[in-house]
Amino acid sequence: NGIGASMTYYVADSNANNLDAVTGMGITWDYSALQGYTTTVDNNILDATTAANAADFPSSVFADELQGNFVIYENQVVDSIFAQGYTFTEPSVGDVLVLLSSDELKVMQYPFTYLDSYTDSLSGTVDITGGFPLSGDYLGSVTVTADGYGTFLLGTTTYSDVLRVKIVETSVA
């Protein structure tokens, strides 16, 4: 998906069985009894140069906007997508600006197939303005693993040839 792409995410029942430990080849993740809600979240891919905080992310090409509030500024090279930072507003805290200027976050690398895995560090700064002003260092890491391949059952729909990619990010400000 490129600039101008748009997706709608549907909120699903959070009481579903936790299938995190179901990994391997030829797996079936059975969420056939899962009930969806009418609540949706819109995701839009924008030209980063036209996004609200474009000046803070001059090398970003894409701005991945989730529901108009959370924006990830990204760049893509031949074999990877990198996040240069993100912005969001939290009413109880204020406006948050994370600049991964010291070490960008590798969001995904290509090709990526079953049993592929990588860990990447990230570092930069965080600035919060508004209700709870704060500035400081922002450090963390991400581990991305393709830990399953198989069939995904969701409601009455069956999806075959599904690669499950598990992303675990830990960050500290």
Side-chain angles (χ1 to χ4, degrees):
N1 293 329
I3 294 172
S6 183
M7 294 165 274
T8 300
Y9 294 102
Y10 293 87
V11 178
D13 188 348
S14 60
N15 293 316
N17 291 332
N18 183 341
L19 301 180
D20 185 54
V22 180
T23 62
M25 184 62 102
I27 296 298
T28 297
W29 296 280
D30 188 353
Y31 286 109
S32 58
L34 190 68
Q35 296 297 311
Y37 298 112
T38 57
T39 306
T40 62
V41 176
D42 293 325
N43 178 242
N44 299 301
I45 306 298
L46 310 173
D47 178 341
T49 64
T50 64
N53 291 75
D56 294 312
F57 303 95
S59 64
S60 293
V61 176
F62 305 100
D64 190 347
E65 179 187 59
L66 187 62
Q67 198 64 17
N69 180 39
F70 189 86
V71 181
I72 305 170
Y73 291 83
E74 300 171 328
N75 195 8
Q76 186 171 358
V77 295
V78 174
D79 65 348
S80 303
I81 296 175
F82 290 91
Q84 276 105 21
Y86 50 89
T87 62
F88 63 95
T89 300
E90 170 55 49
S92 63
V93 175
D95 294 327
V96 179
L97 170 66
V98 175
L99 296 170
L100 300 178
S101 52
S102 303
D103 188 357
E104 298 175 345
L105 170 64
K106 184 188 291 189
V107 177
M108 181 53 62
Q109 68 184 24
Y110 303 107
F112 205 69
T113 60
Y114 177 61
L115 294 180
D116 283 351
S117 179
Y118 69 89
T119 298
D120 189 50
S121 60
L122 58 101
S123 65
T125 59
V126 62
D127 288 304
I128 301 174
T129 57
F132 187 69
L134 172 75
S135 292
D137 293 331
Y138 191 82
L139 305 167
S141 66
V142 65
T143 300
V144 180
T145 307
D147 66 358
Y149 185 83
T151 303
F152 182 67
L153 307 177
L154 181 61
T156 59
T157 305
T158 299
Y159 299 93
S160 301
D161 299 321
V162 173
L163 176 67
R164 182 171 81 170
V165 177
K166 182 177 179 180
I167 302 171
V168 178
E169 181 183 339
T170 304
S171 303
V172 177

